[in-house]
């Protein structure tokens, strides 16, 4: 029984290590989408295009923004974001072997990578 407990502990530790995969800058560029139509109606579909040359283009029903981005650890900063030209600092994580950008983790709102 003790050997079984050690084996289970080993498996759990390995799973945790694998889930903490380091985010690399080369993995960030791509096209992301956030589908919030269930909550926001037909206007809840957002698109975020992140390019290799550190530019981004964001589009939703209400408008579009563009600017530059930079990765710092597991956070990506989008400069000149929104109507006030602020900075959107968003967490980035691997989920199901792909990258997703966290908008509101507690509400389950993410920008999932749909295209490299």
């Amino acid at each position: 029984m003790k050997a079984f407990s050690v084996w289970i502990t080993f498996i759990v530790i390995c799973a945790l290590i694998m889930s903490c995969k380091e985010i690399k800058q080369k993995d960030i560029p791509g096209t992301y989408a956030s589908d919030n139509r269930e909550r926001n109606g037909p206007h809840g579909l957002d698109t975020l295009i992140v390019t290799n040359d550190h530019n981004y283009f964001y589009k939703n029903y209400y408008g579009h923004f563009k600017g530059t981005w930079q990765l710092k650890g597991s956070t990506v900063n989008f400069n000149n974001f929104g109507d006030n030209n602020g900075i959107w600092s968003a967490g980035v994580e691997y989920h199901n072997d792909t990258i997703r950008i966290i908008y509101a983790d507690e509400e389950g709102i993410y920008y999932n990578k749909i295209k490299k």
Side-chain angles (χ1 to χ4, degrees):
M1 185 68 171
K2 187 173 182 176
F4 180 73
S5 295
V6 171
W7 181 248
I8 293 297
T9 303
F10 175 74
I11 290 173
V12 169
I13 290 171
C14 287
L16 288 172
I17 290 170
M18 294 296 285
S19 68
C20 296
K21 194 172 163 182
E22 182 182 354
I23 304 295
K24 296 181 180 155
Q25 192 161 299
K26 68 179 182 68
D27 297 330
I28 300 295
T31 301
Y32 297 80
S34 181
D35 189 348
N36 298 307
R37 288 178 286 190
E38 185 175 304
R39 188 175 63 216
N40 297 337
H43 309 305
L45 186 62
D46 298 1
T47 305
L48 176 64
I49 299 170
V50 182
T51 65
N52 285 320
D53 62 357
H54 291 265
N55 288 299
Y56 76 86
F57 305 91
Y58 171 83
K59 179 180 156 191
N60 68 12
Y61 176 78
Y62 303 103
H64 59 278
F65 311 111
K66 63 182 178 175
T68 59
W69 66 272
Q70 60 189 152
L71 180 66
K72 293 193 178 215
S74 61
T75 300
V76 63
N77 294 319
F78 295 97
N79 301 306
N80 302 320
F81 194 87
D83 294 331
N84 298 324
N85 292 323
I87 296 174
W88 173 34
S89 294
V92 182
E93 65 184 9
Y94 279 96
H95 181 73
N96 295 333
D97 294 325
T98 191
I99 296 281
R100 72 179 180 182
I101 298 171
I102 302 167
Y103 179 77
D105 200 24
E106 67 281 355
E107 296 180 41
I109 303 173
Y110 306 95
Y111 286 84
N112 295 297
K113 190 180 237 186
I114 58 172
K115 187 176 170 184
K116 289 186 176 187

